Amino acid sequence: MGQALPLVRQAEVARALRAFLPARALLWEEEDTRPYECDGLTAYRQLPMVVALPETEEQVRRVLETCSAMSIPVVPRGAGTGLSGGALPRGDGVLLSMAKFMRVLRVDARARIAVVQPGVRNAAISEAAAPFDLYYAPDPSSQIACTIGGNVAENSGGVHCLKYGLTVHNVLRVRGFTAAGEPVELGSQAPDAPGYDLLALAIGSEGMLVVVTEVTVKLLPKPQCAKVVMASFDDVEKAGQAVADVIAAGILPAGLEMMDRPATHAVEQFVGAGYDLDAAAILLCESDGTAEEVEHEIARMREVLVRAGATRMSVSRDEAERLRFWSGRKSAFPAVGRISPDYYCMDGTIPRKRLGEVLKFIGAMEKKYGLRCPNVFHAGDGNLHPLILTTRTTPTSCVAPSSSPPKCLRSASRSAARSPASTAWGWRRSTRCACSSGPTSWSCSLP
């Protein structure tokens, strides 16, 4: 009897949605819904009751309106590349895939904006803007696959977020629907909009406030020149202090990333980026602008890095080498996936000056629990990504205890608490990313 009730409910929901969705836009058989059971956080899986793949805004509105009337939870989904569980479905709900909304609607070179549907890939926006020598700045590591709708839901950043900001700083307007199917439009194509800044509230809300059907993004002129300094260090604490020194010197790099030795070894085997495998940690520091600006800033960065203890430095000689340096950092997650069947991607933000201290603590935890933990992160803004390598047989008490966040992030939060300028945002987000006891403790569904 218990099994029959969910099947009856599934049939009711499918029948209600079939009234306006074509057969190709509705899935409910297990073999069809299995690909939607999780996003990039594969530690948590749940088969959705029904998957809806609408093709028009009207269909999105009716899906939400119907599910609201039937008290059925809805979870929106983009490309499913996210590592935070934001697209984890509900077993008693509808997974609303926006994958078919893939059109670049308009590129306005004079206004420097692009209007796109949520299923457009992040990288595809820059590809569409390239003929006008423009590009879209936020560049998550998964930019060749992740969608702008998912970026809006998660407030994605990327290796260039230090200088150019996160999604919230590069989106001007979104259009979509509330959980009840009511149309909403937030923001404006103008530099500012009247009233409360609800656009900033919606970006990063994981689809709980609005299901986005159209996004207007800012486009920037491509820099005339860009170069990357790769600096090697024989100690992770020195590398962490070098990050703080660069910022303290009044330098704002286009990108400032850090990787420790386990991460560089994994990446080098995967893409051959040309990293120094003898270094305890490397920094990737990028400068962009005019050729004169870049040469001046590169010289300043080199001086600071030498004083901080860099043992070796290489500057990209051409665009191909610059892209190769970045390809390693952007391939870090798949590279680690190649050497471990599963891993938890932590995400915590701490004061820059505490980077070395927290990395040393993580190293001690590796020895204590017998777990490997490569580290790759946005060093410029203190955003750590410890990758705890696991298998399905790894005791969860070592990795994600249900009653508290992992100890490495507790250390991060303690470090953050020592600085009055820091916030707990990164730690809270981290706890939700990979430390939940299951979907019941953090639901991304619409009410």
Side-chain angles (χ1 to χ4, degrees):
M1 180 65 178
Q3 178 67 20
L5 286 175
L7 292 177
V8 170
R9 187 60 164 162
Q10 181 187 55
E12 290 176 352
V13 174
R15 186 164 52 250
L17 298 178
R18 274 203 310 266
F20 55 88
L21 288 177
R24 64 179 178 274
L26 199 62
L27 308 173
W28 66 88
E29 298 289 350
E30 180 177 343
E31 62 183 19
D32 296 323
T33 61
R34 181 66 66 182
Y36 299 91
E37 67 180 351
C38 66
D39 57 8
L41 181 63
T42 57
Y44 299 109
R45 300 169 185 263
Q46 174 65 61
L47 278 175
M49 181 169 63
V50 174
V51 176
L53 297 101
E55 301 167 356
T56 66
E57 290 193 18
E58 175 61 17
Q59 290 175 359
V60 173
R61 183 190 68 79
R62 293 194 65 181
V63 167
L64 293 168
E65 193 176 64
T66 300
C67 290
S68 178
M70 299 178 71
S71 298
I72 298 295
V74 175
V75 177
R77 177 186 172 101
T81 59
L83 295 167
S84 69
L88 182 70
R90 289 276 296 264
D92 59 349
V94 170
L95 185 77
L96 179 60
S97 171
M98 303 299 290
K100 294 186 177 182
F101 288 74
M102 300 183 294
R103 293 172 55 212
V104 175
L105 301 174
R106 180 164 58 97
V107 175
D108 187 334
R110 294 187 65 186
R112 292 183 181 173
I113 63 168
V115 182
V116 300
Q117 291 184 319
V120 172
R121 293 178 301 109
N122 175 289
I125 300 176
S126 292
E127 291 165 6
F132 308 100
D133 287 326
L134 301 171
Y135 77 110
Y136 178 62
D139 56 343
S141 297
S142 58
Q143 68 179 143
I144 62 171
C146 67
T147 63
I148 188 64
N151 293 171
V152 169
E154 298 287 340
N155 192 22
S156 305
V159 299
H160 291 96
C161 63
L162 175 63
K163 183 173 182 178
Y164 294 106
L166 306 168
T167 300
V168 70
H169 305 112
N170 290 273
V171 168
L172 294 172
R173 182 183 68 96
V174 300
R175 197 175 77 208
F177 298 95
T178 67
E182 300 168 343
V184 293
E185 184 171 318
L186 305 175
S188 165
Q189 291 185 19
D192 199 3
Y196 294 113
D197 189 4
L198 298 180
L199 176 63
L201 181 66
I203 295 174
S205 66
E206 297 189 339
M208 292 189 288
L209 299 183
V210 58
V211 175
V212 174
T213 58
E214 185 178 289
V215 186
T216 301
V217 302
K218 291 194 296 187
L219 300 176
L220 299 178
K222 287 183 179 178
Q224 294 179 22
C225 177
K227 291 186 178 182
V228 175
V229 178
M230 180 174 67
S232 304
F233 291 85
D234 58 9
D235 180 81
V236 291
E237 290 194 74
K238 288 181 182 177
Q241 184 57 46
V243 173
D245 292 348
V246 168
I247 303 299
I251 302 171
L252 184 62
L256 182 52
E257 300 286 307
M258 183 170 166
M259 302 171 68
D260 66 7
R261 181 180 286 136
T264 56
H265 276 251
V267 163
E268 197 61 25
Q269 295 172 21
F270 188 61
V271 296
Y275 291 162
D276 181 358
L277 299 182
D278 295 324
I282 65 168
L283 292 182
L284 296 175
C285 314
E286 180 168 283
S287 175
D288 65 8
T290 66
E292 295 78 13
E293 288 172 335
V294 169
E295 289 303 321
H296 176 67
E297 192 167 76
I298 289 287
R300 291 183 63 205
M301 284 197 289
R302 289 175 66 110
E303 290 176 7
V304 172
L305 294 170
V306 167
R307 287 199 301 269
T311 57
R312 175 181 166 187
M313 275 187 282
S314 301
V315 180
S316 58
R317 292 163 292 185
D318 51 34
E319 182 65 3
E321 188 169 44
R322 183 185 77 87
L323 293 176
R324 187 166 72 251
F325 284 169
W326 281 126
S327 73
R329 169 61 184 87
K330 292 192 174 188
S331 298
F333 288 2
V336 168
R338 186 168 170 262
I339 63 174
S340 177
D342 291 288
Y343 62 83
Y344 281 89
C345 174
M346 304 287 101
D347 196 333
T349 301
I350 62 172
R352 283 182 289 263
K353 64 181 180 180
R354 303 283 184 188
L355 283 173
E357 176 185 329
V358 174
L359 287 172
K360 189 175 180 179
F361 180 85
I362 292 172
M365 285 196 61
E366 287 186 82
K367 295 178 182 177
K368 180 177 180 179
Y369 291 107
L371 293 170
R372 294 176 294 164
C373 184
N375 290 278
V376 297
F377 48 92
H378 308 307
D381 54 9
N383 186 197
L384 287 167
H385 293 311
L387 303 175
I388 302 178
L389 309 189
T390 70
T391 66
R392 293 296 174 87
T393 58
T394 301
T396 56
S397 60
C398 294
V399 184
S402 60
S403 61
S404 63
K407 291 182 179 179
C408 60
L409 290 179
R410 273 197 275 180
S411 172
S413 69
R414 285 196 297 269
S415 294
R418 296 173 191 164
S419 168
S422 64
T423 70
W425 157 243
W427 178 78
R428 287 201 303 269
R429 180 177 58 181
S430 309
T431 305
R432 292 185 63 191
C433 282
C435 313
S436 163
S437 59
T440 54
S441 63
W442 55 270
S443 172
C444 300
S445 64
L446 295 164

